[in-house]
Amino acid sequence: MNDMRIVERLVETQGNKISARAVQVHYGTSHAIKDVDVDILDKTVTAFIGPSGCGKSTFLRCLNRMNDTIAACKVTGKITLDGEDIYDARVDPVQLRAKVGMVFQKPNPFPKSIYDNVAYGPKIHGLTRSKAELDEIVESCLRKAALWNEVKDRLTAPGTGLSGGQQQRLCIARAIATSPEVLLMDEPCSALDPIATAQVEELIDELRDQFSVVIVTHSMQQAARVSQRTAFFHLGNLVEYGETGQIFTNPRDPRTESYISGRIG
Amino acid sequence: MSVSLLLLAIALLALIGFGLARRRALSSAGGNPRELHSLPGYYGWHGALMTALPALAGLLIWLLVQPVLIERSVSAHFPADMIAADSSLALTMADVRRVAGGIDVALTAGAMKTDDAGRITTDLAQVRDTLKAVGVALGSDVTTEVLAAAQDYRRLAALGATGRALLVLVLAIAGMALAIRATDKDFRARNRVEQVTLGALMLSSSIAILTTLGIIASMLTETFHFFEAYPIADFFFGLTWSPNFKGDSQLGILPLIWGTLYISLVSMLVAVPLGLFAAIYLAEYASARARAWIKPLIELIAGIPTVVFGLFALVTVGPFLRDYIASPMGWGDSGSSVMTAGLVIGILNIPFISSLSDDIINAVPQSLRDGSLAIGATKSETVRQVVLPAALPGIMGAVLMAASRAIGETMIVSMGAGAAARLDLNPFEAMTTITVKIVSQLTGDTDFGSPETLVAFALGMTLFVITLGLNILALAIVRKYREQYE
Ligand SMILES: Nc1ncnc2c1ncn2[C@@H]1O[C@H](COP(=O)(O)OP(=O)(O)OP(=O)(O)O)[C@@H](O)[C@H]1O
Ligand SMILES: [Mg+2]
């Protein structure tokens, strides 16, 4: 618990990275996100927890406008990144997504080689000037995603030929290769074994130095381990949002309490 | 019993077999379907199949064999020299069948009595008149032999029909009995039924293959006949195509291959980019409303008969290209040209490429697009670098189909590019293709043994080999690509 207090003090010093106000999401007639207000802090790991279908992924996808690709999805309310409204007509979602990266719930490697999967982002954004530089980025990202040792001898093999957990880590490497300011991770460890999970959590902790990270997870322990802030969603509502230590030790809302102790799920 | 009646009987028996086998299976399990090895329906199907299949097979064989046997026995009525000459016997046998059929018709129409029908053997004029009255016209005079043969024919046919009915019914009932005896709760009915299904599937696929093999075999023999009459080297390496039915032909295939490939190339240069762009627009950019309109409209092109396209080439495209491009630039003044045919075939092929590619692009999972967009790729980067590579093997297939169509196209070529075999680089010159020459060598008054006619088969064979080679090449490319990516 002592550690937790140190972390808490660090958090206080961070400013807001993303602010969401009165966000509503409709899929056609169904109301998936109801009036959510959230402030995501800079250089902080924020965990989204909540029962299946409560809208965690949906809300996460609002933050980098990935919901634009779903025709039936309507987002209202205001979300700002560094004070700028990301749903403003002048904002280019392409540039927004270069700043707000995402790892999806289901691994979706491209049907390209492992190397090309990771190099894809740096290439399209022109982040490197030489092949050597690109090689370096690919290697360091694969190392950070705890995949390097498994794939270093077959970088030209197709990424789709990896196991599910390896694909998940490949997608993590792909997402961090563009050095986003915010990284949205939708259950990044759902297909990973305990060792790889620990490595990814270590990575998340490391990323906190430069980025802010939002992670969706179904594991209370993971949320408690890696995050400084936790948001609990239930049936499309943001029930409680606060410091992770407080949410897990002293929740204010009875629904949070029962979810954490395993009574609703 | 007529054949249709027999089929009905088989169907009925199969139905009974289904019911009986199913009942027996259930009762052997004491009415509890869980005790059975397979679902009750499978026992029923086993019963039905065992009833119907042997009976149908027997019927088929009988139908094939009976006419041969009857013909052989009836032909004893005719002199030996007539039997030796194949064609005249065939003509006479046709007469015999007509008379026999006519008598049957007359009987059913009531113009003849059953007793009379058996007795008429002499009064030829009367036979003709009676048959004419019921609408059966007899060509040549009916001879006594023909009449006697027809009577024989009718007798044998009636006998055959009885035998046929007996055989089929016995087979059906025996099959049913076997199936019912085999049925008990441990009998693996599902496996047996699935074996039959598998057999049916295999039969279907082999019919297509066997037909192809048959086509190749028949073409090969004629091709060999051609090469007996014409030197093989002159055919493959000759630079001149000038057939002459009075002899002294030059039948070099090179100008035709050149024309074929040249026209196909032009058409693919038109069809591949336009078709692919259309597909990308439809799959990635068009709204659902626009897509619902545009796709059927593009596909409409594919429904237009090629001869209409040929007219379009002949009347509109050809003169336009000549008057506005070729003549002013001094590239020739031919109305029919490689360009004309290539352009029009290309347009014809757009819907093939666009429609197939559109389906293929749509089948690329949305999660791949999301993955690319989430990294900050633009829509066009996503399409070019993620979606199209993933769809490429399928798109190759579509392009290949279009290429085969372009190579095999005949009507548009003969109306748009003309019929003159020529080796020329100028795309505004008239040229022609292999298929056009196949048609022109086989139509008209031709002697079927001359090299000028037989060359058509050698041309067809060459075309076949070219398309086959193209297919193999494309398959190899696709496989290489797959190894790299999947
Ligand atoms: N593309 C879509 N179209 C229509 N409804 C959707 C779509 N995606 C999600 N929903 C609905 O929105 C609600 C929230 O879904 P969401 O995927 O955000 O849940 P989640 O909290 O991520 O659940 P899980 O933990 O199972 O991933 C659900 O009721 C779901 O049915
Ligand atoms: Mg989710």
Side-chain angles (χ1 to χ4, degrees), chain B residues 280-412:
Chain B
I280 292 171
Y281 169 69
L282 283 178
E284 298 289 330
Y285 292 95
S287 70
R289 281 257 307 278
R291 189 164 182 269
W293 275 98
I294 296 172
K295 197 169 182 195
L297 283 179
I298 294 181
E299 278 165 1
L300 212 63
I301 300 180
I304 301 173
T306 53
V307 65
V308 177
F309 270 98
L311 278 176
F312 177 58
L314 184 72
V315 181
T316 314
V317 181
F320 176 85
L321 287 180
R322 180 193 58 207
D323 297 343
Y324 291 94
I325 298 181
S327 297
M329 305 292 284
W331 288 335
D333 49 8
S334 166
S336 31
S337 66
V338 168
M339 223 34 175
T340 309
L343 278 178
V344 175
I345 296 175
I347 292 167
L348 171 75
N349 270 337
I350 289 174
F352 275 86
I353 296 184
S354 74
S355 207
L356 284 172
S357 305
D358 172 54
D359 291 341
I360 294 157
I361 293 173
N362 262 314
V364 173
Q366 178 64 29
S367 68
L368 289 185
R369 294 186 186 88
D370 285 351
S372 171
L373 293 173
I375 290 174
T378 63
K379 187 148 194 172
S380 73
E381 283 165 343
T382 303
V383 169
R384 265 183 292 129
Q385 305 197 22
V386 175
V387 178
L388 286 185
L392 198 65
I395 291 176
M396 281 286 300
V399 168
L400 194 82
M401 246 183 79
S404 301
R405 274 177 60 93
I407 288 175
E409 179 51 48
T410 310
M411 204 44 107
I412 298 176

Side-chain angles (χ1 to χ4, degrees), chain A residues 53 56-58 105 186-187 216 218:
Chain A
K56 305 180 296 294
S57 301
T58 302
Q105 187 164 356
D186 200 346
E187 298 184 35
V216 173
H218 281 294

Side-chain angles (χ1 to χ4, degrees), chain A residues 25-28 30-33 49-61 67 70-73 105 186-187 216-218 233 236 259:
Chain A
V25 181
H26 293 263
Y27 287 111
S30 87
H31 199 173
I33 293 287
I49 59 171
S52 186
C54 68
K56 305 180 296 294
S57 301
T58 302
F59 186 69
L60 204 64
R61 291 165 63 94
N67 283 329
I70 300 170
C73 187
Q105 187 164 356
D186 200 346
E187 298 184 35
V216 173
T217 177
H218 281 294
F233 287 82
Y259 180 70

Side-chain angles (χ1 to χ4, degrees), chain B residues 188-234:
Chain B
R188 303 189 166 197
R190 177 172 46 80
N191 306 28
R192 297 295 287 274
V193 171
E194 278 169 1
Q195 264 172 17
V196 174
T197 319
L198 180 67
L201 296 178
M202 274 160 49
L203 191 72
S204 320
S205 65
S206 54
I207 281 178
I209 297 173
L210 287 178
T211 315
T212 315
L213 286 181
I215 293 174
I216 297 175
S218 70
M219 296 240 297
L220 262 184
T221 40
E222 299 298 339
T223 306
F224 280 128
H225 286 156
F226 169 68
F227 286 133
E228 278 162 14
Y230 192 85
I232 190 163
D234 289 1

Side-chain angles (χ1 to χ4, degrees), chain A residues 3 7 16 32 39 51 69 75 86 130 137 160 162 239:
Chain A
D3 292 358
V7 169
N16 278 355
D39 288 317
T69 62
V75 180
I86 64 171
S130 66
I137 289 188
T160 39
L162 295 173
V239 175

